[in-house]
Amino acid sequence: MIYNSVLEFCLKNKPLNGEILGLDIGTKKTGVAISTYNQSVAVPSFVIYESNKEVLIKKIAEAFKEKDCAYIVIGFPFGWEEGLSAKWIMEIATGLASLDFSVLLYDEGRTSVKVKNVIYEAKGKMTKKQMQSYDASVASLIL
């Protein structure tokens, strides 16, 4: 099931124990973060490089099962629902929900800009290594 309300998500998914898979979904790459078991810290984990919808859904499902996660949180551009990016994200969320995953859509609210600003303030520019983990960092901010 797909939820866009944190309260509704929490009420329908008790107990809220276990790691959470956080996703920053793009059309070419998807950042993945995983919370700690007690959900107190979100850690940038990896990036999935995939532009095929069915393959991306399969890779996310595999990561979910491999990491033994309890839920999925996906960054969603609320207010931009008619955009291509939002439609793509909704297709992925719907595909995951059809596999019986509980999915929470969470307002990504300029998370990409926030991560870039933190990196630029610390270093002045992004290194190649930081660019590779950038999407996973955004996913951790979503969580």
Side-chain angles (χ1 to χ4, degrees):
M1 177 163 255
I2 300 174
Y3 302 89
N4 61 9
S5 161
V6 174
L7 178 60
E8 181 184 10
F9 179 80
C10 292
L11 291 173
K12 301 267 173 119
N13 290 286
K14 292 182 179 179
L16 287 176
N17 296 326
E19 296 171 353
I20 300 173
L21 192 71
L23 302 172
D24 178 42
I25 297 176
T27 56
K28 295 181 181 174
K29 54 187 177 174
T30 296
V32 180
I34 300 174
S35 76
T36 55
Y37 182 81
N38 65 2
Q39 303 166 1
S40 61
V41 177
V43 179
S45 296
F46 56 94
V47 176
I48 300 172
Y49 294 90
E50 186 56 62
S51 58
N52 178 287
K53 178 176 60 175
E54 289 78 19
V55 175
L56 178 58
I57 291 168
K58 182 180 177 188
K59 287 183 177 184
I60 293 169
E62 288 170 356
F64 182 94
K65 291 174 184 172
E66 179 183 316
K67 302 297 183 183
D68 197 29
C69 294
Y71 309 100
I72 299 173
V73 176
I74 299 174
F76 189 79
F78 287 101
W80 298 91
E81 288 88 345
E82 297 303 315
L84 293 176
S85 180
K87 289 178 182 178
W88 172 255
I89 293 168
M90 187 56 78
E91 289 175 8
I92 302 302
T94 301
L96 291 166
S98 74
L99 298 173
D100 290 329
F101 294 117
S102 289
V103 178
L104 171 63
L105 298 179
Y106 189 77
D107 189 1
E108 63 181 9
R110 299 178 47 85
T111 51
S112 297
V113 173
K114 290 175 185 176
V115 169
K116 281 183 183 175
N117 287 342
V118 167
I119 292 170
Y120 286 138
E121 286 177 19
K123 300 276 185 185
K125 63 179 182 175
M126 281 201 262
T127 65
K128 190 173 185 177
K129 185 175 181 180
Q130 288 168 327
M131 284 297 290
Q132 291 173 344
S133 65
Y134 167 76
D135 292 291
S137 297
V138 173
S140 69
L141 192 57
I142 289 168
L143 276 182

